[in-house]
Amino acid sequence: YNGSIDSFKDWISCLNEQLSPFGLNIDESTICPTNDYISFLDIQFCFDDSGNLQTDLYTKPTDSRAYLNFNSAHPSHTFSGIVHSGCFRLRKIINNHDRLERRLKELGACFKNAGYPESLTKKAIQKALTAERCLKRSGRQLGTLESPAVMATLR
């Protein structure tokens, strides 16, 4: 998002109008001053000094960041899938490359604590760092809230 805070508030109001029939509402009082993050699910949002929306991972203070131990009795693809999905989850959430590098390094340390080989985590981290940040699935662009497919899902 590259618009003004006022246009973002207008978008929130429009979104609330569409969500109200379902008993859902985004509290507009949570819109914070520049560079103050607000959290929603596992994402933090803020506007930087230039008015650009910035995103980061949100974790609860009680999150232990514990992952399935690599020495447990699971098929090997389970571990590579955990590492891959963790790295690409961060790629999709975080829109700043430096912040992404920092979070991936933290994630790599968590995997190291769980006994994962460094080669496995480094490979997935490198792929995530070089991947394009997009929200596409199977060659299709995901729907917007206004799209008929999304509205049918909400009904």
Side-chain angles (χ1 to χ4, degrees):
Y1 182 81
N2 292 322
S4 69
I5 291 176
D6 288 335
S7 66
F8 183 72
K9 287 180 180 180
D10 290 343
W11 179 78
I12 293 288
S13 295
C14 181
L15 187 61
N16 279 337
E17 287 176 21
Q18 293 181 8
L19 293 174
S20 65
F22 308 104
L24 301 172
N25 183 45
I26 296 172
D27 183 3
E28 294 178 44
S29 68
T30 60
I31 299 173
C32 298
T34 303
N35 293 319
D36 284 354
Y37 280 98
I38 58 167
S39 303
F40 179 73
L41 300 175
D42 62 347
I43 304 174
Q44 295 186 99
F45 301 93
C46 83
F47 288 100
D48 63 16
D49 294 328
S50 302
N52 297 317
L53 184 65
Q54 297 296 318
T55 58
D56 197 2
L57 177 69
Y58 171 74
T59 55
K60 291 181 178 181
T62 56
D63 185 4
S64 66
R65 302 290 305 259
Y67 292 91
L68 181 65
N69 190 287
F70 191 76
N71 295 319
S72 64
H74 290 81
S76 61
H77 68 272
T78 302
F79 304 108
S80 59
I82 290 170
V83 173
H84 177 85
S85 62
C87 291
F88 277 84
R89 173 177 167 250
L90 293 178
R91 173 67 275 178
K92 288 181 180 181
I93 291 173
I94 300 170
N95 67 349
N96 174 278
H97 187 76
D98 293 335
R99 195 176 316 116
L100 175 63
E101 280 185 2
R102 202 167 47 253
R103 297 293 182 233
L104 286 169
K105 187 176 180 179
E106 293 169 1
L107 183 63
C110 294
F111 287 132
K112 184 177 180 179
N113 290 339
Y116 287 70
E118 194 173 337
S119 59
L120 177 64
T121 58
K122 276 189 172 185
K123 183 178 177 183
I125 287 172
Q126 197 56 38
K127 277 186 175 182
L129 283 171
T130 58
E132 180 183 344
R133 180 178 184 259
C134 69
L135 303 175
K136 292 182 180 181
R137 187 178 301 159
S138 303
R140 296 186 334 225
Q141 184 72 27
L142 292 179
T144 62
L145 187 59
E146 296 82 22
S147 72
V150 172
M151 292 308 292
T153 305
L154 291 174
R155 290 187 185 126

